[in-house]
Amino acid sequence: MCGITGFTGKGTALPVLMQGLEKLEYRGYDSAGVTLADDQGLRTFKAKGRLSELRSIVENRELHQHTGIGHTRWATHGVPNNLNAHPHTNSTNTISLVHNGIIENYVSLKQMLENNGYVFQSETDSEAVVHLIDYYYRRFQDMETAFKRAVRDLEGSYGLCVISTYAPDTVFVARKESPMILGISDEGTYCASDAPALLEYTRKLMTLNDGDIAVLKPEHIALFDAKGNEKKEEWMEFPYDLQSAQKGGYDTFMEKEIHEQPQTIRETMRGRIEGKSIVLPELDPILGRILRADHVLWIACGTAYHACVYGQMVLNRLVPINSAAIPASEFRYGNYYVDKNTLCIFVSQSGETADTLAAIKRAKSSGAATIAVANVLGSSLTRIADATVYTCAGLEIAVASTKAYTAQLTLIYLLAQKLAEIMGYSTREHDEIITYLNELDRLTQETIDIAKPVIREYASMLKNEHDVYFIGRQLDYVSAMEGALKLKEISYIHADAYYAGELKHGPIALIQDQTVVIAFATQPEVASKTISNIKETVARGAKIILITDQNTPAEGFTYVIRIPEIRPDLACIISAVIFQFLAYYAASERGCDIDKPRNLAKSVTVE
Ligand code: M6R
């Protein structure tokens, strides 16, 4: 969602802040701003719209300050405009703040502050925090004390960065349920809401723990826990380089990330198959709890939720215990039965999705054993879960998830096999499973090679469509759901997914002459049934794009892509690249901003 950057050091702050914000553009935003500090005062610049607007305001000005904060805002409280854009400053222009998250008690804070003479300029919850810090500064006459005291009054979620003329070489940082990374180099100290903002300057990074506060000086960072106790910094060398955060010759990050999938699937498998065994030592600490689990819940949002549906279906075929997938936003408030015999698996690329974090907290408080399937190292989800297995998709920058999704499916498949083994259920197909897993990266590349030459033409069929339908049965329904999500999020074409067998119970009423139906028939057990359903839509005039296996008869269909020979329960993984390309080229023909689709953010850190 919103992006934050902060810097204090020897060099000039503005380029560090602006370049950092550029690297965070993929997170989604609708206004941007910076504040620079020195002992002469604070200078704040803001602009509605793209970063280029802000850049045109600050360029050609003499701005050589060494300390500053920057922000890209994705509107939650108040429309996107200059007043609501961050940074927010107090009335004497001595304190400036940027904030990600939602301050849940801002109404009562605002009331208290207004009663004390404070006047608000914006409609945002964030502005209350800058006045609150001012309120405490007047009492304590010390910025660090005022900042820490104000943070104690906040309810909700926040990543906060504050600078002030009262301490012009310092950036004050706090976080709760909103990501915040710190960095250090010979040039200075940095903070940002996501690592790509800092990679140009340093790879010596650290995640600020939930509830902690950091005080950034040009040469060092002091850390404090929620009770105010000083803590030791734990730096790590960030595993990805700047190259990973660049497009590497592709037009967009999404295109690059689709092409990376053979490699990211390989990385996700690396070290996890030894001979004929699947090895996931990360599960060792909870083996006993897995053994006594009498039901399994898979919980996540968006694309990661679709990966959960895959997990549920794969596990249901392996073990005779109930397994269900639930969207995190529903699970956190729903009446789902969870106790100490429940195993809850949470799937998230970012590990920072607000609903998923709330859901894992709920599961833990009911005594469930929890596993995180996450991509971002050290993210909040991984700190809460009893065990974490990492997908190794690398940095995913495009808002539309592609390589993270196939890495999730791959790891979830391994996890389901391992859970079945731990629970004492063996399969006679084990050797075949290992053989195909070892081939998965190659088969994904082969699918890319098969799909690419034809997919542009198929995508151009979608260009002027208003509604497209994705259908499939069993595991193919997972592809239908994710295919429909990909198409709508980046091309803005309305798309829905249906179980093929459900069509005649209602949705077939929508099919008219030339309606595009994208059908998946890769599951031999039900392929003939799906083909019958497809023919029912053809009889009503539908145009079909069929994604199928090598053997399903497909006479009479013009637009057919056959995936390479693979075990049916792995077909979802390789067929993903087909609908990803389809959505990509359809969006590209419609001139959409593919990496930054409207209204969407990479990581949804607010509810
Ligand atoms: O970071 P997470 O995996 O928790 O994110 C969950 C969803 O917000 C995410 O998958 C979203 O649906 C993507 N934009 C889909 O492409």
Side-chain angles (χ1 to χ4, degrees), residues 301-304 347-351 353 399-401 408 485-486 489 604:
C301 300
T303 288
V347 182
S348 175
Q349 187 285 126
S350 62
T353 299
V399 166
S401 184
Q408 283 163 356
L485 176 66
K486 281 292 85 84
E489 74 178 322
V604 184

Side-chain angles (χ1 to χ4, degrees), residues 103-139:
I103 303 299
E104 284 167 5
N105 60 337
Y106 89 100
V107 175
S108 59
L109 290 174
K110 186 172 177 182
Q111 187 78 61
M112 181 282 280
L113 290 160
E114 282 177 338
N115 291 344
N116 281 278
Y118 285 88
V119 178
F120 281 67
Q121 306 293 331
S122 75
E123 303 161 82
T124 66
D125 52 330
S126 314
E127 191 186 344
V129 186
V130 77
H131 295 312
L132 189 66
I133 299 168
D134 179 281
Y135 173 82
Y136 283 120
Y137 182 80
R138 288 175 196 215
R139 189 196 292 181

Side-chain angles (χ1 to χ4, degrees), residues 504-577:
K504 59 169 86 68
H505 300 286
I508 202 161
L510 297 166
I511 306 295
Q512 307 176 66
D513 193 30
Q514 300 299 304
T515 304
V516 177
V517 173
I518 298 166
F520 297 86
T522 68
Q523 305 296 302
E525 279 172 25
V526 287
S528 65
K529 304 278 176 202
T530 306
I531 297 290
S532 300
N533 298 133
I534 300 169
K535 289 192 171 153
E536 287 155 9
T537 69
V538 172
R540 273 114 192 134
K543 249 184 334 192
I544 307 296
I545 297 175
L546 175 63
I547 294 130
T548 189
D549 58 10
Q550 291 290 321
N551 305 315
T552 300
E555 294 83 36
F557 295 109
T558 312
Y559 307 106
V560 180
I561 299 181
R562 288 194 185 274
I563 58 168
E565 180 88 46
I566 193 165
R567 270 181 67 83
D569 56 4
L570 290 168
C572 272
I573 304 179
I574 60 173
S575 31
V577 300

Side-chain angles (χ1 to χ4, degrees), residues 15 67 81 84 130 215 329 382 503 565 578:
T67 303
N81 63 20
N84 291 332
V130 77
V215 178
S329 53
T382 68
L503 281 178
E565 180 88 46
I578 301 171

Side-chain angles (χ1 to χ4, degrees), residues 390-412:
Y390 281 106
T391 49
C392 301
L395 214 52
E396 190 179 62
I397 298 221
V399 166
S401 184
T402 53
K403 61 176 181 168
Y405 173 65
T406 48
Q408 283 163 356
L409 296 187
T410 305
L411 188 53
I412 283 172

Side-chain angles (χ1 to χ4, degrees), residues 407-451:
Q408 283 163 356
L409 296 187
T410 305
L411 188 53
I412 283 172
Y413 188 86
L414 294 175
L415 180 61
Q417 303 296 329
K418 194 71 197 173
L419 292 178
E421 184 191 311
I422 296 168
M423 290 170 174
Y425 299 96
S426 60
T427 161
R428 272 184 280 122
E429 295 161 17
H430 184 80
D431 286 3
E432 186 191 293
I433 289 173
I434 300 293
T435 306
Y436 275 111
L437 282 171
N438 283 325
E439 293 284 292
L440 204 51
D441 56 345
R442 185 184 62 73
L443 293 171
T444 307
Q445 184 60 55
E446 214 175 301
T447 313
I448 293 178
D449 298 339
I450 292 168

